Amino acid sequence: MKLTFLGTGTSSGVPTLACHCRVCTSPDPHDKRTRPSLLIRFNDHAIVVDTTPDFRTQGLREGLERLDAVLFTHSHADHILGLDDVRVFYFRQQKPIPIYADAQCMKDIQRTFKYIFDGDYPFGGVARLDPHLIDGPFKVEGLEVIPVPVMHGNQLILGFRINGVAYLTDVSEIPESSYALLQGLEVLILDALRPKPHPTHLTLEQALAVMERLKVPSGYFTHIAHDLGHEATNAQLPPHVRLAYDGLELEL
Ligand SMILES: [Zn+2]
Ligand SMILES: [Zn+2]
Ligand SMILES: [Zn+2]
């Protein structure tokens, strides 16, 4: 299984529009962060977690040539607004693209992209999707996916565990019952927005405490704001925990 970080930035991306801070003007390519998404490749299959507003450019950058499914964590704009672009893969593969989401997220997607789900739309040129409601562990092309509920502000949304990897992109708190799903991980990919507290995201310090509690051998932070420069932050982190960056690949 090969993981590629399609994007590692927070909702506004880094650089942030009209910002001239040190990170937004940094020449380091690791400080250019598109919106958060993960590509999982296995046995010639490819699935993505979330379709960000940057999905098209991320796919072009990584040479994405097929798509077998999309898993959605939740329906915030930075996680769903690239969904229209999956139509290219529907046209190429001539098969509706399976999408997986919990009931609330699916409802929001069907409202936001009403025209995609409108069976009467007569003009073509639209993706066909095959919606699956998540209500427990499920399989995609033989790969077992375990949904991991997490709090994102006052909303319960999903992270995902696949084999020894968990991807928890928007988290302010992990419920005790979900810690049970996160035992024995090889790699944890976790929200770490910035040093300052935020109502819907973990701070760097809180995220480190989660890594510590789970005793994860290898950790990567994502959903990173412009408060955290890549090199300077990594210099302060323990060696087994790193800031992820766009294009980073992990072989598992
Ligand atoms: Zn987000
Ligand atoms: Zn900035
Ligand atoms: Zn969110």
Short mmCIF file of all heavy atoms in Angstrom, two decimals, residues 151-204:
data_model
loop_
_atom_site.label_atom_id
_atom_site.label_comp_id
_atom_site.label_asym_id
_atom_site.label_seq_id
_atom_site.Cartn_x
_atom_site.Cartn_y
_atom_site.Cartn_z
N MET A 151 -14.45 14.02 17.36
CA MET A 151 -15.14 15.31 17.50
C MET A 151 -14.38 16.37 16.70
O MET A 151 -13.16 16.45 16.74
CB MET A 151 -15.19 15.74 18.97
CG MET A 151 -16.06 14.88 19.87
SD MET A 151 -17.75 14.61 19.26
CE MET A 151 -18.40 16.28 19.26
N HIS A 152 -15.17 17.18 15.97
CA HIS A 152 -14.62 18.31 15.20
C HIS A 152 -15.48 19.50 15.62
O HIS A 152 -16.54 19.71 15.06
CB HIS A 152 -14.76 17.96 13.71
CG HIS A 152 -14.27 18.99 12.75
ND1 HIS A 152 -13.21 19.83 13.02
CD2 HIS A 152 -14.68 19.30 11.49
CE1 HIS A 152 -13.02 20.61 11.97
NE2 HIS A 152 -13.89 20.32 11.03
N GLY A 153 -15.04 20.21 16.67
CA GLY A 153 -15.93 21.17 17.32
C GLY A 153 -17.08 20.40 17.95
O GLY A 153 -16.85 19.42 18.67
N ASN A 154 -18.32 20.80 17.64
CA ASN A 154 -19.46 20.10 18.25
C ASN A 154 -20.02 19.00 17.34
O ASN A 154 -21.08 18.45 17.60
CB ASN A 154 -20.57 21.08 18.63
CG ASN A 154 -21.11 21.81 17.42
OD1 ASN A 154 -20.69 21.54 16.29
ND2 ASN A 154 -22.04 22.72 17.63
N GLN A 155 -19.30 18.69 16.27
CA GLN A 155 -19.78 17.73 15.28
C GLN A 155 -18.99 16.43 15.40
O GLN A 155 -17.76 16.46 15.54
CB GLN A 155 -19.48 18.34 13.90
CG GLN A 155 -20.55 18.18 12.87
CD GLN A 155 -20.02 18.66 11.51
OE1 GLN A 155 -19.25 19.61 11.41
NE2 GLN A 155 -20.42 17.96 10.46
N LEU A 156 -19.70 15.31 15.33
CA LEU A 156 -19.01 14.02 15.30
C LEU A 156 -18.78 13.66 13.82
O LEU A 156 -19.74 13.51 13.07
CB LEU A 156 -19.87 12.95 15.98
CG LEU A 156 -19.18 11.63 16.30
CD1 LEU A 156 -18.06 11.81 17.31
CD2 LEU A 156 -20.17 10.60 16.83
N ILE A 157 -17.53 13.59 13.43
CA ILE A 157 -17.21 13.28 12.02
C ILE A 157 -16.35 12.02 11.98
O ILE A 157 -16.15 11.37 13.00
CB ILE A 157 -16.51 14.47 11.31
CG1 ILE A 157 -15.12 14.70 11.90
CG2 ILE A 157 -17.37 15.73 11.42
CD1 ILE A 157 -14.15 15.33 10.94
N LEU A 158 -15.82 11.68 10.82
CA LEU A 158 -15.08 10.43 10.69
C LEU A 158 -13.61 10.63 10.34
O LEU A 158 -13.25 11.53 9.58
CB LEU A 158 -15.70 9.56 9.59
CG LEU A 158 -17.12 9.08 9.84
CD1 LEU A 158 -17.60 8.24 8.67
CD2 LEU A 158 -17.21 8.29 11.14
N GLY A 159 -12.79 9.78 10.97
CA GLY A 159 -11.46 9.50 10.45
C GLY A 159 -11.51 8.07 9.97
O GLY A 159 -12.55 7.40 10.10
N PHE A 160 -10.42 7.57 9.40
CA PHE A 160 -10.42 6.20 8.90
C PHE A 160 -9.15 5.47 9.32
O PHE A 160 -8.07 6.05 9.32
CB PHE A 160 -10.51 6.20 7.37
CG PHE A 160 -11.80 6.81 6.87
CD1 PHE A 160 -11.81 8.08 6.32
CD2 PHE A 160 -13.00 6.11 6.99
CE1 PHE A 160 -13.00 8.66 5.88
CE2 PHE A 160 -14.20 6.69 6.56
CZ PHE A 160 -14.19 7.96 5.99
N ARG A 161 -9.33 4.20 9.64
CA ARG A 161 -8.18 3.33 9.87
C ARG A 161 -8.16 2.27 8.77
O ARG A 161 -9.18 1.60 8.52
CB ARG A 161 -8.25 2.64 11.23
CG ARG A 161 -7.08 1.68 11.41
CD ARG A 161 -7.02 1.06 12.78
NE ARG A 161 -5.78 0.26 12.86
CZ ARG A 161 -5.24 -0.16 13.97
NH1 ARG A 161 -5.81 0.12 15.13
NH2 ARG A 161 -4.11 -0.88 13.96
N ILE A 162 -7.00 2.10 8.14
CA ILE A 162 -6.81 1.04 7.15
C ILE A 162 -5.54 0.29 7.55
O ILE A 162 -4.45 0.89 7.58
CB ILE A 162 -6.68 1.62 5.73
CG1 ILE A 162 -7.99 2.34 5.35
CG2 ILE A 162 -6.36 0.52 4.72
CD1 ILE A 162 -7.94 3.08 4.04
N ASN A 163 -5.68 -0.97 7.88
CA ASN A 163 -4.55 -1.75 8.41
C ASN A 163 -3.88 -0.96 9.55
O ASN A 163 -4.56 -0.54 10.46
CB ASN A 163 -3.57 -2.12 7.30
CG ASN A 163 -4.24 -2.98 6.22
OD1 ASN A 163 -5.12 -3.77 6.53
ND2 ASN A 163 -3.84 -2.82 4.97
N GLY A 164 -2.59 -0.70 9.42
CA GLY A 164 -1.87 -0.04 10.50
C GLY A 164 -1.82 1.47 10.42
O GLY A 164 -1.06 2.11 11.15
N VAL A 165 -2.63 2.03 9.55
CA VAL A 165 -2.59 3.49 9.36
C VAL A 165 -3.93 4.11 9.74
O VAL A 165 -4.98 3.62 9.34
CB VAL A 165 -2.35 3.85 7.88
CG1 VAL A 165 -2.19 5.36 7.71
CG2 VAL A 165 -1.17 3.12 7.33
N ALA A 166 -3.89 5.20 10.47
CA ALA A 166 -5.12 5.96 10.71
C ALA A 166 -4.93 7.38 10.21
O ALA A 166 -3.84 7.97 10.34
CB ALA A 166 -5.49 5.96 12.18
N TYR A 167 -6.01 7.92 9.61
CA TYR A 167 -6.00 9.27 9.06
C TYR A 167 -7.12 10.06 9.73
O TYR A 167 -8.30 9.80 9.50
CB TYR A 167 -6.23 9.18 7.54
CG TYR A 167 -6.25 10.51 6.82
CD1 TYR A 167 -5.08 11.24 6.63
CD2 TYR A 167 -7.44 11.02 6.29
CE1 TYR A 167 -5.09 12.45 5.94
CE2 TYR A 167 -7.45 12.23 5.61
CZ TYR A 167 -6.28 12.94 5.43
OH TYR A 167 -6.29 14.13 4.75
N LEU A 168 -6.73 10.98 10.60
CA LEU A 168 -7.71 11.79 11.35
C LEU A 168 -7.42 13.25 11.02
O LEU A 168 -6.58 13.89 11.65
CB LEU A 168 -7.56 11.55 12.86
CG LEU A 168 -7.52 10.09 13.35
CD1 LEU A 168 -7.34 10.03 14.86
CD2 LEU A 168 -8.80 9.33 12.96
N THR A 169 -8.14 13.77 10.04
CA THR A 169 -7.74 15.08 9.50
C THR A 169 -8.34 16.28 10.19
O THR A 169 -7.71 17.32 10.28
CB THR A 169 -8.00 15.15 7.98
OG1 THR A 169 -7.86 16.51 7.57
CG2 THR A 169 -9.38 14.70 7.60
N ASP A 170 -9.56 16.20 10.68
CA ASP A 170 -10.17 17.36 11.35
C ASP A 170 -10.65 16.89 12.72
O ASP A 170 -11.67 16.21 12.83
CB ASP A 170 -11.36 17.92 10.56
CG ASP A 170 -10.92 18.65 9.30
OD1 ASP A 170 -10.11 18.09 8.54
OD2 ASP A 170 -11.38 19.79 9.08
N VAL A 171 -9.91 17.24 13.75
CA VAL A 171 -10.17 16.69 15.08
C VAL A 171 -9.95 17.76 16.13
O VAL A 171 -8.92 18.43 16.13
CB VAL A 171 -9.16 15.56 15.43
CG1 VAL A 171 -9.59 14.85 16.70
CG2 VAL A 171 -8.94 14.60 14.31
N SER A 172 -10.90 17.89 17.05
CA SER A 172 -10.63 18.70 18.24
C SER A 172 -10.51 17.79 19.46
O SER A 172 -9.88 18.14 20.45
CB SER A 172 -11.70 19.75 18.44
OG SER A 172 -12.98 19.19 18.33
N GLU A 173 -11.14 16.61 19.38
CA GLU A 173 -11.06 15.66 20.49
C GLU A 173 -11.35 14.25 20.00
O GLU A 173 -12.23 14.06 19.15
CB GLU A 173 -12.10 16.05 21.56
CG GLU A 173 -11.72 15.57 22.94
CD GLU A 173 -12.86 15.80 23.93
OE1 GLU A 173 -13.61 16.79 23.76
OE2 GLU A 173 -12.98 14.98 24.85
N ILE A 174 -10.62 13.29 20.54
CA ILE A 174 -10.87 11.89 20.21
C ILE A 174 -11.64 11.25 21.36
O ILE A 174 -11.15 11.22 22.49
CB ILE A 174 -9.55 11.13 19.97
CG1 ILE A 174 -8.76 11.81 18.83
CG2 ILE A 174 -9.82 9.67 19.65
CD1 ILE A 174 -7.38 11.21 18.60
N PRO A 175 -12.88 10.76 21.11
CA PRO A 175 -13.64 10.11 22.18
C PRO A 175 -12.92 8.86 22.68
O PRO A 175 -12.20 8.21 21.90
CB PRO A 175 -14.96 9.71 21.50
CG PRO A 175 -15.01 10.46 20.21
CD PRO A 175 -13.60 10.77 19.83
N GLU A 176 -13.12 8.54 23.96
CA GLU A 176 -12.47 7.35 24.53
C GLU A 176 -12.75 6.11 23.69
O GLU A 176 -11.87 5.28 23.47
CB GLU A 176 -12.94 7.12 25.96
CG GLU A 176 -12.23 7.97 27.00
CD GLU A 176 -10.71 7.87 26.93
OE1 GLU A 176 -10.16 6.75 26.84
OE2 GLU A 176 -10.04 8.93 26.97
N SER A 177 -14.02 5.97 23.23
CA SER A 177 -14.37 4.77 22.47
C SER A 177 -13.57 4.67 21.17
O SER A 177 -13.35 3.57 20.64
CB SER A 177 -15.87 4.77 22.16
OG SER A 177 -16.24 6.01 21.58
N SER A 178 -13.12 5.79 20.64
CA SER A 178 -12.34 5.74 19.41
C SER A 178 -10.87 5.42 19.66
O SER A 178 -10.19 4.88 18.79
CB SER A 178 -12.46 7.06 18.64
OG SER A 178 -13.76 7.16 18.10
N TYR A 179 -10.38 5.74 20.87
CA TYR A 179 -9.01 5.34 21.19
C TYR A 179 -8.86 3.82 21.06
O TYR A 179 -7.81 3.32 20.65
CB TYR A 179 -8.62 5.78 22.61
CG TYR A 179 -8.04 7.18 22.63
CD1 TYR A 179 -8.80 8.26 23.05
CD2 TYR A 179 -6.73 7.41 22.23
CE1 TYR A 179 -8.27 9.55 23.07
CE2 TYR A 179 -6.18 8.69 22.24
CZ TYR A 179 -6.97 9.75 22.67
OH TYR A 179 -6.44 11.01 22.67
N ALA A 180 -9.93 3.10 21.39
CA ALA A 180 -9.89 1.64 21.29
C ALA A 180 -9.64 1.19 19.85
O ALA A 180 -9.07 0.12 19.61
CB ALA A 180 -11.19 1.05 21.82
N LEU A 181 -10.08 1.99 18.87
CA LEU A 181 -9.90 1.63 17.45
C LEU A 181 -8.50 1.99 16.94
O LEU A 181 -8.16 1.71 15.80
CB LEU A 181 -10.95 2.36 16.60
CG LEU A 181 -12.42 2.14 16.98
CD1 LEU A 181 -13.31 3.08 16.18
CD2 LEU A 181 -12.79 0.69 16.71
N LEU A 182 -7.73 2.65 17.79
CA LEU A 182 -6.45 3.20 17.33
C LEU A 182 -5.26 2.52 17.99
O LEU A 182 -4.15 3.04 17.99
CB LEU A 182 -6.41 4.72 17.61
CG LEU A 182 -7.47 5.55 16.88
CD1 LEU A 182 -7.52 6.98 17.42
CD2 LEU A 182 -7.19 5.57 15.37
N GLN A 183 -5.50 1.34 18.56
CA GLN A 183 -4.40 0.63 19.21
C GLN A 183 -3.54 -0.08 18.16
O GLN A 183 -4.04 -0.52 17.14
CB GLN A 183 -4.95 -0.39 20.21
CG GLN A 183 -5.79 0.22 21.33
CD GLN A 183 -5.04 1.31 22.10
OE1 GLN A 183 -3.93 1.08 22.57
NE2 GLN A 183 -5.64 2.49 22.20
N GLY A 184 -2.23 -0.14 18.44
CA GLY A 184 -1.32 -0.91 17.59
C GLY A 184 -1.08 -0.32 16.21
O GLY A 184 -0.77 -1.04 15.26
N LEU A 185 -1.21 0.98 16.08
CA LEU A 185 -0.97 1.62 14.77
C LEU A 185 0.51 1.63 14.43
O LEU A 185 1.36 1.73 15.31
CB LEU A 185 -1.46 3.08 14.81
CG LEU A 185 -2.95 3.34 14.81
CD1 LEU A 185 -3.19 4.84 14.99
CD2 LEU A 185 -3.58 2.85 13.51
N GLU A 186 0.79 1.57 13.12
CA GLU A 186 2.16 1.82 12.66
C GLU A 186 2.35 3.30 12.40
O GLU A 186 3.41 3.88 12.65
CB GLU A 186 2.43 1.10 11.33
CG GLU A 186 2.55 -0.40 11.39
CD GLU A 186 2.50 -0.97 9.98
OE1 GLU A 186 3.37 -0.65 9.15
OE2 GLU A 186 1.54 -1.73 9.71
N VAL A 187 1.31 3.91 11.82
CA VAL A 187 1.40 5.32 11.42
C VAL A 187 0.09 6.01 11.79
O VAL A 187 -0.99 5.52 11.46
CB VAL A 187 1.62 5.46 9.90
CG1 VAL A 187 1.65 6.93 9.48
CG2 VAL A 187 2.89 4.76 9.45
N LEU A 188 0.20 7.15 12.44
CA LEU A 188 -0.97 7.99 12.69
C LEU A 188 -0.79 9.33 11.98
O LEU A 188 0.23 10.00 12.16
CB LEU A 188 -1.15 8.22 14.20
CG LEU A 188 -2.27 9.21 14.60
CD1 LEU A 188 -3.63 8.76 14.09
CD2 LEU A 188 -2.31 9.39 16.12
N ILE A 189 -1.78 9.67 11.16
CA ILE A 189 -1.78 10.97 10.47
C ILE A 189 -2.87 11.80 11.16
O ILE A 189 -4.04 11.39 11.21
CB ILE A 189 -2.08 10.78 8.98
CG1 ILE A 189 -1.03 9.86 8.36
CG2 ILE A 189 -2.12 12.14 8.27
CD1 ILE A 189 -1.46 9.27 7.02
N LEU A 190 -2.47 12.92 11.71
CA LEU A 190 -3.34 13.63 12.65
C LEU A 190 -3.34 15.14 12.40
O LEU A 190 -2.31 15.73 12.05
CB LEU A 190 -2.83 13.33 14.08
CG LEU A 190 -3.63 13.87 15.24
CD1 LEU A 190 -5.04 13.29 15.28
CD2 LEU A 190 -2.90 13.56 16.56
N ASP A 191 -4.50 15.73 12.61
CA ASP A 191 -4.69 17.18 12.61
C ASP A 191 -3.75 17.85 13.61
O ASP A 191 -3.70 17.47 14.78
CB ASP A 191 -6.16 17.41 13.02
CG ASP A 191 -6.61 18.85 12.99
OD1 ASP A 191 -5.78 19.76 12.89
OD2 ASP A 191 -7.84 19.06 13.05
N ALA A 192 -3.01 18.86 13.15
CA ALA A 192 -2.26 19.74 14.07
C ALA A 192 -2.25 21.12 13.41
O ALA A 192 -1.41 21.42 12.57
CB ALA A 192 -0.85 19.24 14.31
N LEU A 193 -3.23 21.94 13.79
CA LEU A 193 -3.48 23.18 13.06
C LEU A 193 -2.40 24.22 13.26
O LEU A 193 -1.87 24.80 12.31
CB LEU A 193 -4.84 23.74 13.49
CG LEU A 193 -5.29 25.01 12.76
CD1 LEU A 193 -5.76 24.66 11.35
CD2 LEU A 193 -6.41 25.72 13.54
N ARG A 194 -2.10 24.47 14.55
CA ARG A 194 -1.22 25.60 14.89
C ARG A 194 -0.94 25.54 16.39
O ARG A 194 -1.53 24.72 17.10
CB ARG A 194 -1.93 26.91 14.53
CG ARG A 194 -3.20 27.14 15.35
CD ARG A 194 -4.00 28.35 14.90
NE ARG A 194 -5.03 28.66 15.89
CZ ARG A 194 -5.99 29.55 15.72
NH1 ARG A 194 -6.06 30.23 14.58
NH2 ARG A 194 -6.86 29.78 16.66
N PRO A 195 -0.09 26.40 16.93
CA PRO A 195 0.16 26.38 18.38
C PRO A 195 -1.01 26.92 19.19
O PRO A 195 -1.27 26.45 20.30
CB PRO A 195 1.40 27.29 18.54
CG PRO A 195 2.01 27.36 17.18
CD PRO A 195 0.87 27.26 16.20
N LYS A 196 -1.73 27.91 18.67
CA LYS A 196 -2.80 28.57 19.44
C LYS A 196 -4.07 27.70 19.45
O LYS A 196 -4.42 27.12 18.43
CB LYS A 196 -3.11 29.91 18.78
CG LYS A 196 -3.29 31.06 19.75
CD LYS A 196 -3.38 32.42 19.03
CE LYS A 196 -4.35 32.41 17.89
NZ LYS A 196 -4.59 33.65 17.20
N PRO A 197 -4.79 27.63 20.58
CA PRO A 197 -6.02 26.83 20.63
C PRO A 197 -7.04 27.23 19.57
O PRO A 197 -7.10 28.40 19.17
CB PRO A 197 -6.58 27.13 22.04
CG PRO A 197 -5.42 27.56 22.84
CD PRO A 197 -4.49 28.27 21.89
N HIS A 198 -7.81 26.25 19.12
CA HIS A 198 -8.84 26.47 18.11
C HIS A 198 -10.04 25.60 18.49
O HIS A 198 -9.85 24.47 18.93
CB HIS A 198 -8.30 26.08 16.73
CG HIS A 198 -9.21 26.47 15.60
ND1 HIS A 198 -10.31 25.72 15.24
CD2 HIS A 198 -9.17 27.52 14.76
CE1 HIS A 198 -10.92 26.31 14.22
NE2 HIS A 198 -10.25 27.41 13.91
N PRO A 199 -11.26 26.10 18.31
CA PRO A 199 -12.42 25.31 18.77
C PRO A 199 -12.66 24.01 18.01
O PRO A 199 -13.29 23.10 18.54
CB PRO A 199 -13.60 26.27 18.58
CG PRO A 199 -13.11 27.35 17.67
CD PRO A 199 -11.63 27.44 17.84
N THR A 200 -12.14 23.88 16.79
CA THR A 200 -12.47 22.68 16.01
C THR A 200 -11.24 21.85 15.60
O THR A 200 -11.38 20.87 14.87
CB THR A 200 -13.29 23.03 14.75
OG1 THR A 200 -12.50 23.87 13.91
CG2 THR A 200 -14.59 23.73 15.10
N HIS A 201 -10.07 22.27 16.03
CA HIS A 201 -8.85 21.53 15.64
C HIS A 201 -7.90 21.38 16.83
O HIS A 201 -7.90 22.20 17.74
CB HIS A 201 -8.10 22.28 14.52
CG HIS A 201 -8.85 22.34 13.24
ND1 HIS A 201 -8.85 21.31 12.33
CD2 HIS A 201 -9.66 23.30 12.73
CE1 HIS A 201 -9.62 21.63 11.30
NE2 HIS A 201 -10.13 22.84 11.51
N LEU A 202 -7.07 20.34 16.76
CA LEU A 202 -6.03 20.14 17.77
C LEU A 202 -4.90 21.13 17.55
O LEU A 202 -4.55 21.45 16.40
CB LEU A 202 -5.46 18.72 17.66
CG LEU A 202 -6.38 17.56 18.00
CD1 LEU A 202 -5.69 16.23 17.68
CD2 LEU A 202 -6.80 17.59 19.47
N THR A 203 -4.32 21.58 18.64
CA THR A 203 -3.08 22.36 18.53
C THR A 203 -1.92 21.37 18.34
O THR A 203 -2.08 20.16 18.54
CB THR A 203 -2.80 23.17 19.81
OG1 THR A 203 -2.60 22.23 20.89
CG2 THR A 203 -3.96 24.09 20.14
N LEU A 204 -0.76 21.93 18.03
CA LEU A 204 0.43 21.10 17.89
C LEU A 204 0.69 20.32 19.18
O LEU A 204 0.96 19.11 19.16
CB LEU A 204 1.62 22.02 17.56
CG LEU A 204 2.91 21.36 17.10
CD1 LEU A 204 2.70 20.61 15.79
CD2 LEU A 204 3.98 22.44 16.91
#
